[in-house]
Amino acid sequence: MEFREHTLDNGLQVVAECNPEAHSTAVGFFVQTGARDESEADAGVSHFLEHMVFKGTPSRTADDVNRQFDEMGAHYNAFTSEEHTVYYAAVLPEHQQASVELLGDILRPSLREEDFDTEKQVIIEEIRMYEDQPPFGADDKCRALHYGKHPLGKSVLGTVQSITDLSVDAMRAYFKRRYSPGNVTLVGAGKIDFDALVKTAEQACGKWTPVESGRETPEAAAHRAFQCVHKDSAALEYVLQLANGPGATDADRYAAKVLATVIGDDSGSRLYWALVDTGLAEHASLSHHDYQGAGLYMTYMSCDAENTEANLARIAEIYTHVEKEGLAAAEVAQAKSKINSRVVLGSERPRGRLFTVGGNWIQRHEYRTVREDLDAVEALTRDDLAAVLARYPLSINTTLAIGPAEKVSAPPAG
Amino acid sequence: MTQSIYSHTYDNGLVLAAEQMKSLESAAFTFLVPVGSSVDPADRAGLSSFTGELALRGCGTRDSRQFVEDLENLGVERGEAVSVSHTSFSGATLSANLPPALSIYADLLRRPRFPADQLEAARLVVLQELLAIEDEPAQKLMIELRKHQYPDPWGRSSQGEEATLRQIGLDEIKQHHQGQYRPNGTILGVAGNFEWPQLRDLVGRLFEDWQPREVPDPATGAAPDKHAHLEHESNQTHIGVAYEGLPYRHPDYFQAWGAVGVLSGGMSSRLFTEVREKRGLCYSVFATMHTLRDRASVLCYAGTSAERAQETLDVTLAELGRIAEGIRPDELARLKARIKSGLIMQQESSIARSGSIARDWYHLGRTRTLDELGQIIDGLTCESINAYLAAHPPGDFTVVTLGPKPLEVHLGVS
């Protein structure tokens, strides 16, 4: 296993974890752009653009793009988040060059108006699909409520209205501003020929012209808010709760992962025993998400509407209790075992490793082996965890409930 | 691809099928227990699911909490599912922890405690799982599609119904376990890093004295109505179309499956191209071969805004009609490339392989190596697939829709 890195003259970075034992190769272009980089008028453009990237280039039609990925037998896709847009493919090693050439080419898309108009319909269908599914768009509402005007308060999908209003010229301007080579990292994992990777990157992307494309990363203030949205057609009540947590460059993010596992993993956690095992909730979990300059804990709970207030009170009690009393040694050890096993299982496939290697590089400009990540988790003490809980209390949060309940009251402050 | 595949059938009928993957640090296992919703008594729909849920609440010397904590300290990532034919229990962890994990699962399958004081909590869990489906319209539609495609009991959902779940008593659960859980028909698939003689002996010690039991197959009922519309308050209309396929064990299975692969799979497939890429009608559209042991169906799905649903259904049915005219060599070449890389990538995941080899055994009474599968795929030709399609053109469609308005089924559209 060897880590290699190289930067092209135009600023595009190439990094890879090369594993000669792997059966397959995973490659991805990680673009530093997402919802947080959008203006009010552009809401949803990053994600829409991600779709448009597959619609062809001066030398390829959309059909060519799809067909050529399929001819390689590639398992490929793309996704957009608050701060990144990632295009990736898992292929057999013999297709390393072809897959990077193709991904590199589509990252300079034609953005033809006719394709834009057709794809707009697909994006609107995607938004409508999510509006029909839990939590019925409440994740965007809760994020906006929590972050206010902070860039992380923006929606990745945008709205039917913002997408309908978006013009192809606005998308072209956004593309020009954000897809500068300095904002792009080509990441490889698995069986990678690194020298060949750099050569292909040079050929496919070496002529891209850099432009100024910075990003604001203000710190986020802690908000405390509570909102209930009545949605009569929902069967269950869904609750989202956001609390500030360690961000992407904060060493406390490892502690946050362990805390989230002890307190709110899908199974065997405090939320699990109090709410799921007892059948009081259909689902209850806590997860940690880190961003540049900010981090989040997210509580997600679904239950019979009539149990909502009582369950919120139970969650509040669990959070204030751990803040006061800390965690038991046994539950911390159990969480570490789970994380250890998950990290190992998740790293077996190159396409699993790709996102960890890429994430570490674009967020922190660092490479960490699987072992280093596991050691960082193992080294954490109960005092470390208590200190992080004190710094980022779960009990100060923004809550949004959506579902058949006409009114949900906030639990009394603990 | 050199594979080390082992199998052993114990005297009581239990099958252990295992694939050694020396390059991995993990091991994964899947128990397929021959108890699914097809053996739920008609007035006790959901009994197998309820039994599975209560079995997780303590077994052998462990109570509910100890069971979960012991597995999590071993780093076992668990999963449970009930289908028409099986209750499956699966897990994955570091390879050194495989033996103690299997010994806990021996207690789970053979010595569940079925604690009376956990019955109502378990009932709340299965009731809420049932309710949650009301908020997942695409999932609900596919459940209804199977009900209308297969004669009872083969299209049953595993979740049961509210009325039957409310009636199930503790004794019925205990009897269901005693009468149905058995070694004959149970398949344990293991994949990962293990030593075969030790594994075979361990599984023998854990399960050899489990007494077999003859259980009659459920009787097959009359064919259901092939068309239905379910009123649902949603933005989108969800469309399900089904027609007869071939089960995995059928000699022509791969001919039928190849045709489905041309329809759906990869972004250059026909449904994706015609419904989404060219017309922008929907975000999600697919077809898949759903195989039971003795019967199978092609299940197709598309979700779209209500006002465009009729066109989506018409275009989908037209594509299903058009496939009968035959597939092209370039389509087959792409299908083969995708499958070939998928087979090689399976070699990188113990979880993927343990499930595959257990299912292989269920359908075939043996396990196919990836080499053998590769040869079957290589042997597919346009002529062979087109001959199958000419003899068995898609038709006699089951069409189920869910949304604000019913649609018209225009059969024979081209």
Side-chain angles (χ1 to χ4, degrees):
Chain A
M1 202 81 83
E2 187 192 11
F3 179 74
R4 303 273 305 271
E5 57 168 301
H6 179 83
T7 304
L8 304 187
D9 289 344
N10 62 11
L12 187 141
Q13 299 175 78
V14 185
V15 301
E17 182 182 73
C18 310
N19 176 7
E21 303 297 313
H23 295 283
S24 69
T25 296
V27 290
F29 279 90
F30 288 58
V31 187
Q32 181 110 284
T33 201
R36 69 179 298 161
D37 304 299
E38 297 169 357
S39 68
E40 205 73 32
D42 285 345
V45 67
S46 309
H47 169 253
F48 189 172
L49 175 56
E50 175 228 293
H51 280 235
M52 287 301 295
V53 159
F54 288 91
K55 291 293 170 189
T57 67
S59 61
R60 285 182 169 95
T61 64
D63 282 351
D64 290 339
V65 173
N66 288 339
R67 200 185 59 246
Q68 288 173 18
F69 273 121
D70 285 346
E71 278 166 359
M72 283 180 245
H75 295 239
Y76 62 106
N77 210 335
F79 63 85
T80 306
S81 71
E82 290 76 11
E83 46 192 19
H84 300 117
T85 310
V86 179
Y87 304 85
Y88 65 95
V91 293
L92 298 184
E94 67 239 42
H95 298 305
Q96 175 185 312
Q97 185 182 339
S99 60
V100 174
E101 271 171 10
L102 181 51
L103 284 167
D105 187 41
I106 65 172
L107 279 179
R108 286 295 175 268
S110 295
L111 303 181
R112 290 177 277 252
E113 185 149 20
E114 192 190 337
D115 297 330
F116 177 88
D117 292 338
T118 305
E119 197 60 19
K120 191 178 258 195
Q121 300 304 316
V122 174
I123 303 286
I124 289 170
E125 287 304 334
E126 188 178 357
I127 295 172
R128 288 192 171 142
M129 176 183 83
Y130 288 120
E131 283 173 353
D132 280 348
Q133 285 171 4
F136 311 106
D139 37 356
D140 280 349
K141 286 195 187 76
C142 193
R143 185 175 275 275
L145 200 58
H146 183 72
Y147 278 118
K149 292 287 173 202
H150 188 278
L152 287 170
K154 293 180 174 150
S155 157
V156 173
L157 284 172
T159 61
V160 170
Q161 194 60 53
S162 74
I163 295 299
T164 303
D165 294 346
L166 192 72
S167 71
V168 70
D169 285 335
M171 179 180 281
R172 288 173 183 150
Y174 175 86
F175 171 79
K176 218 170 173 178
R177 198 162 71 239
R178 299 301 310 167
Y179 277 58
S180 176
N183 260 351
V184 179
T185 306
L186 168 60
V187 184
K191 191 159 179 152
I192 292 277
D193 177 341
F194 190 76
D195 296 330
L197 186 67
V198 170
K199 206 170 140 201
T200 312
E202 189 67 63
Q203 284 160 357
C205 320
K207 295 201 175 64
W208 298 358
T209 316
V211 297
E212 183 53 47
S213 55
R215 163 186 283 174
E216 300 287 314
T217 57
E219 289 210 5
H223 293 263
R224 203 171 183 158
F226 191 95
Q227 197 181 328
C228 172
V229 178
H230 179 55
K231 184 174 171 66
D232 203 26
S233 61
L236 294 173
E237 187 80 12
Y238 298 85
V239 176
L240 284 136
Q241 211 167 58
L242 300 180
N244 282 1
T249 51
D250 189 334
D252 287 345
R253 68 188 185 278
Y254 290 102
K257 302 284 178 217
V258 176
L259 283 166
T261 308
V262 173
I263 299 167
D265 193 37
D266 283 352
S267 165
S269 65
R270 293 201 177 195
L271 290 181
Y272 172 84
W273 291 115
L275 295 167
V276 180
D277 179 70
T278 51
L280 294 168
E282 193 254 338
H283 177 95
S285 64
L286 176 70
S287 52
H288 172 250
H289 308 268
D290 53 56
Y291 307 99
Q292 288 168 9
L296 269 187
Y297 288 107
M298 185 176 86
T299 308
Y300 186 61
M301 193 261 295
S302 55
C303 65
D304 246 332
E306 59 184 35
N307 290 336
T308 312
E309 282 182 11
N311 283 347
L312 278 171
R314 289 182 185 101
I315 292 171
E317 196 188 317
I318 288 169
Y319 290 168
T320 40
H321 187 262
V322 290
E323 284 162 17
K324 275 192 198 134
E325 309 290 331
L327 303 171
E331 60 187 348
V332 173
Q334 185 178 326
K336 286 180 178 177
S337 292
K338 276 197 274 192
I339 293 171
N340 190 11
S341 173
R342 276 175 201 169
V343 170
V344 170
L345 286 162
S347 304
E348 284 182 340
R349 287 185 145 165
R351 68 178 118 159
R353 209 45 205 146
L354 179 76
F355 300 113
T356 311
V357 171
N360 279 336
W361 193 261
I362 55 174
Q363 292 294 52
R364 290 173 288 278
H365 219 77
E366 67 174 4
Y367 169 69
R368 297 175 69 90
T369 62
V370 173
R371 180 46 48 199
E372 283 165 340
D373 272 343
L374 294 178
D375 288 346
V377 168
E378 193 52 48
L380 291 166
T381 66
R382 287 158 65 202
D383 287 345
D384 295 333
L385 299 174
V388 173
L389 261 181
R391 205 166 302 138
Y392 298 102
L394 292 163
S395 53
I396 297 179
N397 56 53
T398 302
T399 304
L400 192 138
I402 186 164
E406 283 186 27
K407 185 171 169 297
V408 176
S409 301
Chain B
M1 283 187 274
T2 312
Q3 284 178 283
S4 306
I5 293 191
Y6 305 92
S7 66
H8 184 76
T9 305
Y10 299 88
D11 288 345
N12 60 9
L14 177 86
V15 170
L16 168 65
E19 177 172 343
Q20 203 173 42
M21 301 163 85
K22 281 280 187 192
S23 63
L24 302 185
E25 287 181 60
S26 67
F29 56 89
T30 300
F31 284 95
L32 289 183
V33 183
V35 183
S37 55
S38 61
V39 297
D40 290 348
D43 59 347
R44 290 293 182 270
L47 179 57
S48 295
S49 285
F50 202 165
T51 303
E53 168 62 32
L54 198 60
L56 295 169
R57 292 171 177 258
C59 54
T61 58
R62 294 172 177 83
D63 65 11
S64 170
R65 189 175 276 265
Q66 200 64 47
F67 169 77
V68 170
E69 287 178 358
D70 284 357
L71 285 175
E72 295 199 348
N73 278 313
L74 292 169
V76 177
E77 290 283 290
R78 311 188 278 124
E80 299 88 26
V82 177
S83 66
V84 170
S85 309
H86 291 113
T87 300
S88 69
F89 299 96
S90 55
T93 183
L94 304 183
S95 55
N97 292 339
L98 176 67
L102 288 177
S103 108
I104 295 175
Y105 274 82
D107 281 343
L108 170 67
L109 296 185
R110 301 185 56 189
R111 292 170 286 275
R113 290 181 168 191
F114 295 130
D117 62 355
Q118 298 268 318
L119 181 71
E120 294 313 314
R123 193 192 310 278
L124 287 174
V125 169
V126 290
L127 281 168
Q128 283 182 100
E129 281 172 0
L130 179 69
L131 199 56
I133 294 168
E134 295 299 316
D135 286 337
E136 298 283 358
Q139 200 190 343
K140 185 176 159 75
L141 181 267
M142 293 311 274
I143 288 172
E144 291 298 325
L145 180 65
R146 289 197 298 275
K147 277 185 196 164
H148 287 273
Q149 169 66 8
Y150 291 111
D152 190 69
W154 307 110
R156 286 185 190 174
S157 83
S158 59
Q159 285 88 1
E161 294 153 27
E162 185 184 341
T164 57
L165 291 173
R166 287 199 186 281
Q167 281 166 5
I168 290 169
L170 186 61
D171 288 341
E172 288 169 315
I173 287 174
K174 288 180 176 171
Q175 280 163 18
H176 193 61
H177 176 264
Q178 267 174 11
Q180 296 284 345
Y181 275 56
R182 57 191 187 276
N184 44 320
T186 293
I187 300 157
L188 167 57
V190 178
N193 200 341
F194 59 80
E195 297 299 331
W196 169 248
Q198 285 88 329
L199 178 65
R200 185 194 54 209
D201 294 349
L202 171 72
V203 172
R205 282 198 301 283
L206 294 172
F207 291 98
E208 240 164 4
D209 57 345
W210 191 10
Q211 292 307 308
R213 166 185 299 275
E214 287 314 313
V215 176
D217 286 337
T220 299
D225 285 344
K226 296 189 84 67
H227 300 282
H229 173 73
L230 292 99
E231 288 287 331
H232 192 80
E233 194 184 317
S234 50
N235 288 309
Q236 288 196 313
T237 293
H238 301 267
I239 300 167
V241 178
Y243 58 94
E244 195 175 353
L246 289 180
Y248 189 64
R249 63 209 294 249
H250 193 284
D252 284 339
Y253 170 80
F254 284 94
Q255 312 301 336
W257 170 89
V260 177
V262 169
L263 271 176
S264 175
M267 292 195 205
S268 63
S269 63
R270 291 195 185 184
L271 285 177
F272 197 83
T273 302
E274 294 298 325
V275 183
R276 175 168 153 168
E277 297 289 88
K278 279 197 191 160
R279 296 178 177 82
L281 285 170
C282 62
Y283 175 72
S284 178
V285 56
F286 64 83
T288 181
M289 182 73 87
H290 176 257
T291 176
L292 301 172
R293 193 164 182 279
D294 298 313
R295 64 196 79 229
S297 298
V298 180
L299 305 179
C300 313
Y301 168 84
T304 186
S305 290
E307 61 273 20
R308 303 201 296 163
Q310 186 65 54
E311 184 183 357
T312 302
L313 175 61
D314 293 346
V315 174
T316 303
L317 287 174
E319 284 308 310
L320 298 180
R322 197 165 68 89
I323 195 89
E325 296 164 19
I327 66 161
R328 298 188 311 269
D330 62 299
E331 292 176 310
L332 180 63
R334 291 198 294 278
L335 175 72
K336 287 185 176 183
R338 204 160 42 77
I339 300 314
K340 185 182 163 202
S341 68
L343 290 176
I344 290 174
M345 289 176 199
Q346 269 203 22
Q347 285 293 88
E348 296 174 323
S349 165
S350 57
I351 296 175
R353 282 305 289 159
S354 83
S356 291
I357 58 182
R359 283 189 297 275
D360 257 14
W361 197 284
Y362 170 66
H363 287 287
L364 304 174
R366 66 190 187 87
T367 295
R368 276 198 175 114
T369 62
L370 295 176
D371 270 340
E372 186 188 344
L373 265 173
Q375 282 164 18
I376 294 172
I377 304 300
D378 281 343
L380 290 175
T381 63
C382 280
E383 291 71 33
S384 66
I385 292 175
N386 289 342
Y388 170 79
L389 281 168
H392 308 90
D396 193 19
F397 296 114
T398 299
V399 179
V400 179
T401 52
L402 181 147
K405 276 201 319 232
L407 304 180
E408 288 172 33
V409 181
H410 303 135
L411 290 173
V413 183
S414 63

